[in-house]
Amino acid sequence: MSGRRVEAAAPEAPTEGDGGPLEQLAHWAAGLELSDVPQRVIDLAATHVLSQLAAIRTGLQQPDGHRLVRALGTPFQADTAQSARVLGGVGAWLNLDDTAYAGHLGPSTVGVPLAYAHALGLSGAELLRAVILADECAARITSAATLGPFRGQTALHTHVVGAVAGRLACERAPAGRWLDALALALSAPPWTLLRGFIAGDARLLHVPVAVRMGLDACDAAAGGLHGAADIVEHPDGFLARFATVPLPDALTLGLGRRWHTETLSFKLHPGGPGIDAAVDCAVDLHTDLGTWAVEDVREVIVECSVYTLFAARKARPYLDGPRTPIGALVLDTPYPVATALLTGQLVIEDFAAPRVDTPERWRLAAKVRLVHDPAMTRELLAGDAPFGEALRQAGDAGRAWLAEFGGAELLDLAPASRAPAGDFTAAEKPTPARVRVELHDGRVLVREYRIPRGGLGPELRSRHRELIAAKFHAAGGPAAVTRQWPGLARTDPARLRALLERAVGR
């Protein structure tokens, strides 16, 4: 969303001598040790790495991944920076990268540490420290601009910051270099054009370009170049351009207590924002339906929140049946739901020939209709991710943004104002959907998910290792890797290097 800028309440001034928010974040990052991080957060970070490795493996197996490797080279090549760009790129464009409050973090926050941990001979503990720091820094700066024109995969400043933090954590850089590199990198972050992101192959380069900017900033800072320490909050700075409602205090709010790594949701099948729950419903209904044909179906109704409808509106101008570019097809709901109803799954091969050319999928997709459910939008807005927590931080300015985002009627669905969360131990990302299949013989079958499988909530916190091990195996990952994964934090450098090479499949 673009448009007029709505002023949020000014954040509390930092304590005298502590510097501005970016400087405080840099000092915290430079001094963090893995022993400072709760074990539950470390465990989630290990799962995050394995999940992103599954996305990387999947990307490397696709024809577009082969082309990207021809263009940029293979993972774990001699040029570490290029390796980081490749790992970031192949793990990004298929919509299998995980989300957090806020941002699609993994392509940079995992991809860059993987490259540098492999090249520098780091241990598993050092890799986990780097991933957590990259997640925390990238998510905090992304959350500061969440109420703005870019979210999700279009927010490439996420990967500019993820690249800086992931590399500098691996290099154990001092706080001054962290500050300069972050400030330099945020001085000219990429501005995504939706046309390029959805049509053509540019989406394969978006993350590598952002990663390059972050890594170049690290080199520049090491060489003695300095950035503007107030680049985030200055009237001529980052948030002035990238946020409609700027939240500069998000950079430092609850450092060491509010772990953004704890807000991760894991992608178990490809698809854009808001369609996961609908696809899960369709997977279940495939079994419930038994033997059937497309001609037996009168209508498929998907009741959903405004979040799902927003993604569908973005995709609509690009829809062209089996000729629809993948960037639009993963945002739309009818084709993924129809595919899951027919096959009982949704995998990346479903978005390419020959599967995408299957006529019965498109005949069924034509019977899928989206309907807004106000109660589901109310649940969405009451959650922590994708932007509920940002709305709480923004206060009245957040309500003005919400009206501009989805219309004044959303104000009646927004929850009452309350203080930002003290921590994220009970955070949730409800993106609900209800799928109703009506058959000509009068039967009606219904499934509903409040939080999709892999979505942030109580079930994920108890099952993330199991769910992501299955995702990794589905991508062809060897069981020997998942057997060793629980001991990642105790893995020495030589064993880590071999483990990563086996995990990537190279």
Side-chain angles (χ1 to χ4, degrees):
M1 188 207 86
S2 60
R4 65 184 180 86
R5 188 163 177 264
V6 182
E7 292 295 337
E12 292 182 5
T15 304
E16 186 176 355
D18 286 346
L22 195 63
E23 186 172 356
Q24 291 180 58
L25 183 64
H27 278 274
W28 175 81
L32 185 80
E33 298 295 339
L34 194 62
S35 58
D36 300 325
V37 182
Q39 187 61 47
R40 65 180 188 278
V41 178
I42 296 172
D43 291 343
L44 271 167
T47 297
H48 186 28
V49 177
L50 188 64
S51 183
Q52 192 61 29
L53 283 165
I56 289 168
R57 286 187 69 96
T58 304
L60 288 170
Q61 294 163 10
Q62 306 309 309
D64 284 344
H66 299 163
R67 290 194 290 153
L68 189 64
V69 166
R70 285 200 299 271
L72 302 182
T74 61
F76 301 139
Q77 57 187 277
D79 183 338
T80 308
Q82 192 74 337
S83 177
R85 290 190 279 274
V86 173
L87 288 166
V90 295
W93 92 95
L94 299 177
N95 284 79
L96 286 168
D97 52 323
D98 305 312
T99 63
Y101 174 68
H104 284 238
L105 304 179
S108 60
T109 66
V110 174
V112 173
L114 285 175
Y116 280 87
H118 182 271
L120 298 174
L122 302 186
S123 66
E126 285 292 291
L127 170 62
L128 285 169
R129 173 182 174 270
V131 169
I132 291 168
L133 276 170
D135 279 348
E136 295 300 315
C137 293
R140 285 172 173 275
I141 288 177
T142 304
S143 66
T146 286
L147 304 182
F150 302 119
R151 280 168 304 283
Q153 288 191 330
T154 63
L156 294 181
H157 47 273
T158 301
H159 302 304
V160 172
V161 176
V164 171
R167 175 177 172 178
L168 295 188
C170 286
E171 294 177 342
R172 288 277 178 170
R177 193 183 307 166
W178 275 85
L179 177 59
D180 282 326
L182 287 169
L184 289 166
L186 286 170
S187 295
W191 184 274
T192 304
L193 301 180
L194 191 63
R195 175 66 179 172
F197 181 76
I198 289 184
D201 294 329
R203 64 188 280 119
L204 277 76
L205 288 177
H206 283 186
V207 170
V209 165
V211 167
R212 176 185 289 274
M213 179 171 291
L215 298 182
D216 284 352
C218 292
D219 289 334
L225 275 67
H226 301 292
D230 61 354
I231 190 66
V232 170
E233 73 276 17
H234 192 276
D236 292 328
F238 167 71
L239 289 179
R241 183 63 171 158
F242 280 79
T244 310
V245 180
L247 302 172
D249 56 331
L251 270 69
T252 57
L253 183 61
L255 278 172
R257 186 180 70 252
R258 281 167 48 109
W259 295 97
H260 284 252
T261 303
E262 256 183 311
T263 68
L264 282 163
S265 290
F266 295 102
K267 296 289 290 184
L268 302 184
H269 42 65
I275 77 164
D276 289 334
V279 171
D280 286 340
C281 292
V283 169
D284 290 351
L285 287 166
H286 168 80
T287 301
D288 297 344
L289 281 163
T291 302
W292 60 287
V294 171
E295 290 71 24
D296 300 329
V297 176
R298 186 173 69 84
E299 189 174 31
V300 179
I301 300 170
V302 178
E303 297 170 275
C304 56
S305 74
V306 71
Y307 192 47
T308 305
L309 295 172
F310 176 80
R313 285 198 300 270
K314 292 291 186 183
R316 191 170 298 128
Y318 297 91
L319 299 181
D320 187 21
R323 294 168 297 281
T324 302
I326 187 173
L329 207 52
V330 294
L331 294 177
D332 200 37
T333 303
Y335 175 81
V337 165
T339 297
L341 280 170
L342 285 164
T343 67
Q345 63 177 357
L346 183 70
V347 295
I348 198 60
E349 288 79 9
D350 291 317
F351 294 94
R355 297 186 190 183
V356 76
D357 296 322
T358 307
E360 67 173 350
R361 297 188 183 193
W362 291 101
R363 292 201 307 273
L364 185 57
K367 300 184 180 188
V368 177
R369 179 166 61 93
L370 272 61
V371 176
H372 180 223
D373 184 318
M376 290 183 177
T377 292
R378 188 177 291 111
E379 277 200 287
L380 169 81
L381 298 176
D384 299 281
F387 42 70
E389 178 65 11
L391 291 171
R392 288 192 284 274
Q393 284 184 250
D396 289 342
R399 291 180 63 81
W401 176 87
L402 190 61
E404 193 171 343
F405 172 77
E409 61 272 19
L410 286 188
L411 297 180
D412 295 331
L413 302 175
S417 297
R418 60 183 175 90
D423 60 50
F424 290 131
T425 54
E428 289 188 340
K429 184 182 181 180
T431 52
R434 183 184 306 112
V435 177
R436 177 185 178 96
V437 179
E438 299 182 356
L439 298 146
H440 287 296
D441 64 9
R443 285 186 298 154
V444 177
L445 292 88
V446 181
R447 283 282 183 157
E448 179 176 352
Y449 277 84
R450 176 177 172 268
I451 298 174
R453 296 187 185 106
L456 176 62
E459 182 181 6
L460 179 66
R461 281 189 280 273
S462 65
R463 296 188 59 213
H464 59 87
R465 284 179 173 171
E466 170 193 345
L467 289 169
I468 300 312
K471 174 181 176 179
F472 183 73
H473 294 153
V481 170
T482 53
R483 284 196 298 270
Q484 296 179 60
W485 209 254
L488 182 61
R490 302 184 299 277
T491 303
D492 63 44
R495 287 175 56 221
L496 179 67
R497 187 183 180 96
L499 185 65
L500 295 182
E501 290 174 358
R502 191 165 189 181
V504 168
R506 293 279 163 169

